[in-house]
Structures are given as structure tokens and as C-alpha cells.
Amino acid sequence: MTKPLIAVIVGSNRRDSINRKLAQALVKLGADKFDAKIVGIDDLPMYNQDNENGLPAEVARFKNDIAGADGVLIVTPEHDRSIPAVLKNAVDWGARPSGKNSWAGKPGFITGTSPGAIGSALAQQHLRSVMTGLGMILLGGEAYVTFKPNLADDDGHIGDDGTRKFLGGFIDRFAFLVGRLRAEPVRSAA
Ligand SMILES: Cc1cc2nc3c(=O)[nH]c(=O)nc-3n(C[C@H](O)[C@H](O)[C@H](O)COP(=O)(O)O)c2cc1C
């Protein structure tokens, strides 16, 4: 059987995003367990219900990428103690139109980093609540990462042993969850 494909969403449109760095490191940690595709969200237009009939091309591409993935990894910053607008916009497009919810039944792993002491915890908690409501099957646990300049090098290598083990455990459990649900996909009415 081929390796599962994970769609990777970074909740930041910043050129030097620390969350993109973390995402790349996580992809590297999971390289022997899954293939990964970074799915861009910064080209998505602002959600507007008027545009649901005849989706903009960028939105159709985005929804296709999610539909084609066996699981979704979301690595998000925290903006004003919540979900960054660029990510919430992508979540809303994914959820619509009614009956075409791209998230339902997909296994997901939410993590993220910020320089603050609680490492994006509130953004992650808000996002968990939203994605659970949309029918995603989220990996349990709390993967909050306080950013330090040496978190990951340019090759995506996590130097600190403890951090690498901590995140590696999540990646292992996520790959297991994706594998189980791939074998027996969850039926969803959404
Ligand atoms: C609009 C805005 C709001 C922010 N709010 C928070 C916050 O609530 N908590 C936090 O830890 N960091 C906050 N930050 C700092 C971010 O953690 C920091 O900019 C980080 O680099 C963002 O991640 P990124 O580099 O992946 O975009 C905020 C930054 C911006 C621009």
C-alpha cells in the first residue's frame, strides 16, 4: 500500500513564518510514514456566500487538495488569542457550500508555535472547537510549542532532543490514526 497523503496547512501568510518552519520540520519527522503536500491558503479570496455558486478557481483547487488527502495537519500561529483570519477564511471555504464540507471525516492534527509562553494554545483550542464542529476527527493531546530561534534549522531538523521526541510522538500517533481511518473511513452525513 502507498503511504498516506497528508495535506499541510500553515495558518500564516508571513514570508518568514515560524509556523511554516515548524510545519516543514514535522513533515520531515513523518517522512517515512506519510507523503505531504503543503496546501496554500494565502491566495484564497475572502469568503463570500455570494460566490458559492461557481467557486473561485483558487477555492476549487483548495477543496480538491483537501478532498484528495488522507489527513490534514494544521500548524497555526495565534492572533489576538485566536485563529488567524487567513486560516479562518480557509476553514470557512472548506466547510462550504452546504453539503460539500471538505473537513468532515478527515483525521486531523492541530499544532502551532508562538514566542509566547503558551505557544499558540488559545488559537489551537479555538480551532479544535471549530474543526470538531465541522466533523474532523482530531488527534488528542496538547501540542503547544513555544518558539525558540533554534527550534528547527533550514533543513527542518529539530535540534533539541526533548522537542524532537515530543513532536515525534504526535507525528507517530497521527500517522497511526490516519492509517486506521484510511482502512475504514468514517461515514459522515455532513
Ligand atoms: C495580529 C497579531 C496578533 C498576535 N497575537 C498573538 C497572540 O495572541 N499570542 C501570541 O502568542 N502571539 C501573538 N502574536 C505574535 C505571533 O506569535 C508572532 O508574530 C508569530 O511569528 C506568528 O507566527 P508566524 O511567524 O508563523 O506568522 C500576534 C501577531 C500578530 C501579527
Side-chain angles (χ1 to χ4, degrees), residues 3-177:
K3 283 192 274 186
L5 177 65
I6 302 300
V8 182
I9 297 175
V10 177
S12 170
N13 50 7
R14 196 166 82 84
R15 197 181 326 110
D16 296 323
S17 164
I18 58 177
N19 283 278
R20 190 168 305 110
K21 266 194 157 188
L22 175 58
Q24 283 157 352
L26 293 170
V27 165
K28 188 167 180 142
L29 272 182
D32 59 338
K33 299 186 177 65
F34 52 74
D35 292 323
K37 177 174 183 173
I38 304 272
V39 176
I41 58 172
D42 34 351
D43 62 338
L44 298 176
M46 179 63 74
Y47 173 79
N48 184 334
Q49 196 170 359
D50 291 339
N51 298 337
E52 282 192 356
N53 296 322
L55 290 178
E58 298 84 353
V59 174
R61 185 269 311 155
F62 174 72
K63 290 179 73 73
N64 266 339
D65 282 346
I66 302 301
D70 299 298
V72 182
L73 164 63
I74 305 179
V75 187
T76 186
E78 178 172 288
H79 277 185
D80 302 321
R81 296 292 184 226
S82 190
I83 305 165
V86 68
L87 177 57
K88 183 58 165 56
N89 187 51
V91 168
D92 290 346
W93 275 123
R96 300 292 299 181
S98 179
K100 304 264 182 211
N101 176 0
S102 309
W103 310 111
K106 292 273 176 200
F109 170 35
I110 292 173
T111 184
T113 187
S114 96
I118 57 172
S120 78
L122 290 176
Q124 290 189 45
Q125 281 302 323
H126 285 179
L127 186 61
R128 291 188 78 86
S129 166
V130 171
M131 301 317 280
T132 301
L134 290 172
M136 271 194 118
I137 298 156
L138 294 178
L139 187 70
E142 299 183 294
Y144 312 142
V145 183
T146 299
F147 180 78
K148 299 273 161 44
N150 65 348
L151 176 64
D153 66 20
D154 288 343
D155 292 329
H157 177 70
I158 298 172
D160 180 70
D161 284 349
T163 307
R164 200 171 57 253
K165 270 191 204 133
F166 173 72
L167 291 171
F170 279 96
I171 288 294
D172 286 351
R173 292 189 292 280
F174 181 49
F176 179 76
L177 175 69

